Amino acid sequence: FMKKNFSVFIFIASISVSSLFAQDTLEISLEDFIDLGVSNSGQIKYERTSIDLAENRVSLAKDQRLLPSLSFRSEHAVVPGVSSPGNFSDEQIYLDPNARNDWDKVGIYTRLRISGAQPIFTWGSINKAVSAAKEAMKATEFDVEAKKEDIEVRLFELYYSYVLALEIERLLKDAEDKIRQIENSLDDAQENGDDIDETDIYKFKVFKAQFGIQKAEVDESLVFVKQTWQYLLRNNEGTIYSPSVKYLDPLSSKLSGLDHYQNSAFLNRNELRGIDTGKKALVKYVDYQKASNLPGLYLGFTATFASTPIRPRQPNPFISTPENTFNTAIGLTIRQNLNFFQAKTQLERVKIELKRMDYLSDAAKDGILLEVNQAYQKAAVAEVKVERTDEALLTTKQWLRMEQQDYDFGIGEVKDLIDAMKMELELRLKEKESIFEFNTSMAKLNNAAGIPLQLLQKQD
């Protein structure tokens, strides 16, 4: 009975541990890895504040439509009362020629004033300002999207770096087993007194030492990749991720012609779209500047209230008593900027900016063309490497199989087996590295051509 209960306890405990492990470590796809990495990117968060600022400028431009000029002001002071030696009544104290300030009586003076202006006709300057701000915001969005795509390519490379490290780790474990078999065979041969060349033994020891160095490098590389993943995918739950892709295979998409990528870059690169949109924003800003330099019609209003209880109010409309008053005014006003030289200089500056954007567009196209050509060359070379390495690896496997059989039958040399095994291991590692290089080169080429990374993943 106790043995049965203990078995049940072990079973429940194993299920609990498995559940905890499943909660702490999750496999993640490439698409989810990129999305999570982008959402955690401090650079993207910083760049997106540029969009927030651009949206704020659009809102500021729209705010000019309703009461762009509205102000309130209050004034407060201590003032003396008024005495009338002629004993005039409070309503007629202004008639007393001997009336004077009475500092024996002081009071608080308060005046409140509100004024504003509502545009009626401004030659469309406000709408033009809003339109220019919107185009500027679109240009900012293109710029941020371009930087986001660069980060996605780096995340693509980092994802497959993990897969590559896992692949190499498996290869080295397999090679380690083969090395152990050869070592056991050499030990057995020495114990049996077989004729073995000492040179072969030293060569094997050197190969084993070199293999140990390579394995240590791979282990350190895997630790670095895991730490980088943990930092990029940081979360409050403390979840640790590993790639859902376990084997590194070349992308199924093939290289198209160089012209295809060049034309795609000129049509789809967000940097060029941002420059073109920025030029449109400047053109609309020129229209805004021209309209704002013309006279505009506004509806103005003002209201003033003043109260000083210590001083009597004079009801005569021809007598001004600013200490106790309430008046309003509303009417039409024309506003005209008379700084003609300054307005002209400002307009010339914007035209210079337009010319500068044209030069920037040409420079960007030159740089993009060079970037596409370089990325295409690397992708083409990487594709050839994958094909040739696969052919060489197939031949080497046949060679290794032959040397292994000869050695097992006692007619082969240890030196030849080590050479074949060393070559096979090197080519297997080179094959995975070539695949990694091809996949990342294709991602960079597509990014240089303005092709979304998602399309490359769908093609695969």
Side-chain angles (χ1 to χ4, degrees), residues 72-352:
F72 170 80
R73 185 174 65 185
S74 66
E75 300 171 359
H76 309 275
V78 177
V79 297
V82 178
S83 62
S84 175
N87 294 322
F88 285 82
S89 63
D90 289 344
E91 291 78 10
Q92 297 180 342
I93 200 170
Y94 65 91
L95 297 174
D96 188 350
N98 297 318
R100 64 180 184 275
N101 292 327
D102 186 1
W103 287 99
D104 293 333
K105 297 179 181 179
V106 295
I108 300 298
Y109 161 74
T110 300
R111 181 167 67 176
L112 308 177
R113 179 179 297 174
I114 184 171
S115 61
Q118 172 64 36
I120 302 298
F121 179 74
T122 58
W123 306 93
S125 63
I126 296 176
N127 290 335
K128 291 172 182 177
V130 173
S131 181
K134 286 182 177 180
E135 290 295 332
M137 185 181 70
K138 290 179 182 178
T140 303
E141 289 174 345
F142 282 127
D143 183 59
V144 173
E145 185 64 24
K147 294 175 181 177
K148 176 175 171 286
E149 290 172 349
D150 291 339
I151 291 178
E152 288 178 347
V153 172
R154 279 185 274 171
L155 290 171
F156 179 95
E157 187 173 5
L158 180 61
Y159 185 89
Y160 279 107
S161 294
Y162 202 155
V163 180
L164 174 64
L166 293 176
E167 282 275 33
I168 294 178
E169 186 181 42
R170 284 193 292 269
L171 291 178
L172 294 183
K173 285 183 179 178
D174 184 37
E176 195 173 20
D177 293 338
K178 293 181 179 179
I179 290 174
R180 191 178 298 109
Q181 293 175 5
I182 296 175
E183 187 176 23
N184 293 335
S185 298
L186 288 174
D187 292 340
D188 293 341
Q190 286 180 322
E191 291 177 1
N192 296 332
D194 295 342
D195 185 18
I196 299 177
D197 192 348
E198 291 292 329
T199 303
D200 293 341
I201 296 177
Y202 285 119
K203 285 184 178 181
F204 175 76
K205 290 181 178 180
V206 171
F207 170 71
K208 183 180 177 182
Q210 292 176 339
F211 175 82
I213 295 174
Q214 196 169 24
K215 186 175 183 303
E217 291 176 350
V218 171
D219 292 340
E220 289 299 321
S221 176
L222 187 57
V223 170
F224 171 76
V225 171
K226 287 181 178 180
Q227 290 176 345
T228 306
W229 267 53
Q230 185 176 357
Y231 174 76
L232 289 176
L233 305 182
R234 56 194 180 277
N235 55 84
N236 297 329
E237 293 78 16
T239 305
I240 298 176
Y241 295 94
S242 64
S244 59
V245 178
K246 300 303 180 183
Y247 300 98
L248 188 59
D249 297 318
L251 296 173
S252 58
S253 57
K254 300 296 182 181
L255 273 175
S256 301
L258 179 58
D259 292 342
H260 166 74
Y261 295 103
Q262 291 175 342
N263 295 331
S264 176
F266 291 148
L267 291 174
N268 301 319
R269 280 291 289 261
N270 283 310
E271 291 90 340
L272 296 178
R273 289 177 174 177
I275 293 173
D276 291 339
T277 309
K279 288 166 61 177
K280 293 179 182 178
L282 281 175
V283 170
K284 293 184 177 181
Y285 184 73
V286 169
D287 295 337
Y288 159 72
Q289 285 288 340
K290 292 179 179 179
S292 63
N293 291 332
L294 298 174
L297 181 63
Y298 292 79
L299 176 67
F301 66 90
T302 181
T304 303
F305 170 77
S307 175
T308 309
I310 199 66
R311 290 198 169 202
R313 183 177 183 275
Q314 305 302 297
N316 193 310
F318 296 99
I319 301 300
S320 175
T321 53
E323 298 85 1
N324 290 282
T325 185
F326 176 74
N327 59 70
T328 60
I330 186 170
L332 296 175
T333 177
I334 294 178
R335 294 184 178 182
Q336 170 67 55
N337 181 16
L338 298 178
N339 295 323
F340 299 113
F341 294 107
Q342 183 179 358
K344 181 181 179 182
T345 304
Q346 178 72 10
L347 197 58
E348 290 177 352
R349 187 188 70 82
V350 179
K351 291 181 179 179
I352 294 173

Side-chain angles (χ1 to χ4, degrees), residues 36-81:
L36 187 55
V38 169
S39 65
N40 287 341
S41 172
Q43 182 180 353
I44 291 298
K45 292 176 182 178
Y46 169 76
E47 297 296 341
R48 282 175 177 164
T49 58
S50 301
I51 299 178
D52 296 335
L53 290 174
E55 290 178 347
N56 181 263
R57 285 190 286 270
V58 173
S59 299
L60 286 175
K62 290 181 178 179
D63 292 342
Q64 298 299 309
R65 291 172 173 167
L66 180 63
L67 295 175
S69 175
L70 182 64
S71 63
F72 170 80
R73 185 174 65 185
S74 66
E75 300 171 359
H76 309 275
V78 177
V79 297

